[in-house]
Amino acid sequence: MVVILCFFTLLIQKVVPVIPVLLIATLLDSGNFILQQVNSDGSTKRVLWQSFDHPGDTLLPGMKLGVNHKNGHIWSLTSWSSLYSAEPGAFTLDWDPGEHHLKIKQRGKGTWSSGVFTNGRFEFLIPDDDSKKMRYNFSIVSNENEDYFTFNYVDD
């Protein structure tokens, strides 16, 4: 884990008093980069931004694919336009909360589906070795606040 401490002073319009704000930027072992405002005792006041809420083209363990119903934010992956350009490309990977499956779309048109998620597995995703043991633990969260897919590695 890497922690970067920043101390900022914010001026609110033309008001003379200053408000000190302590920000901490942390790169977690998971790969999530978090920017948070902290209290003077070091406790977290609020998370301002985190990279796992803005996935690019790579899905890391613990990241979400789905939708946040509270603010309408959608977590999905988007391909790069080319090997050397991170501009959004033609492909996306999305979670369909209604049908409980992953979908790859090319320019908005469905081109692949993982099949329905039941009993901890997807219909069309099979283990990649001869032991037939899944290397990942897939999870689905569905409630009034959010619907999403996530995964973690299975410990051997």
Side-chain angles (χ1 to χ4, degrees):
M1 174 177 19
V2 176
V3 177
I4 302 167
L5 295 174
C6 305
F7 185 78
F8 291 93
T9 301
L10 299 178
L11 294 174
I12 300 178
Q13 296 186 6
K14 294 182 182 180
V15 179
V16 176
V18 294
I19 300 172
V21 178
L22 183 61
L23 302 177
I24 295 180
T26 308
L27 178 59
L28 302 177
D29 292 338
S30 65
N32 194 8
F33 185 70
I34 300 176
L35 180 64
Q36 50 192 328
Q37 184 177 358
V38 295
N39 296 311
S40 57
D41 66 359
S43 62
T44 300
K45 185 171 185 177
R46 65 184 173 138
V47 173
L48 300 171
W49 184 90
Q50 60 181 326
S51 61
F52 274 24
D53 281 342
H54 306 278
D57 69 334
T58 304
L59 187 65
L60 297 174
M63 291 177 87
K64 301 174 182 180
L65 292 179
V67 62
N68 180 327
H69 297 301
K70 290 169 77 174
N71 61 19
H73 184 76
I74 295 174
W75 301 291
S76 68
L77 299 183
T78 303
S79 67
W80 284 15
S81 64
S82 73
L83 185 60
Y84 302 105
S85 174
E87 292 183 51
F91 294 91
T92 60
L93 176 62
D94 304 295
W95 172 249
D96 184 327
E99 297 184 28
H100 283 183
H101 66 111
L102 296 166
K103 294 191 297 189
I104 293 178
K105 297 179 186 175
Q106 182 179 15
R107 294 185 176 84
K109 182 180 177 187
T111 60
W112 176 84
S113 167
S114 63
V116 177
F117 181 81
T118 54
N119 299 321
R121 292 181 172 229
F122 287 101
E123 183 179 5
F124 302 128
L125 292 179
I126 57 174
D128 60 354
D129 62 10
D130 292 333
S131 73
K132 303 296 181 207
K133 182 179 177 186
M134 294 299 287
R135 296 179 189 204
Y136 308 101
N137 180 27
F138 301 123
S139 300
I140 308 304
V141 173
S142 183
N143 59 48
E144 62 187 31
N145 296 323
E146 54 193 2
D147 281 299
Y148 67 86
F149 158 84
T150 189
F151 79 99
N152 287 297
Y153 291 114
V154 173
D155 293 330
D156 289 330

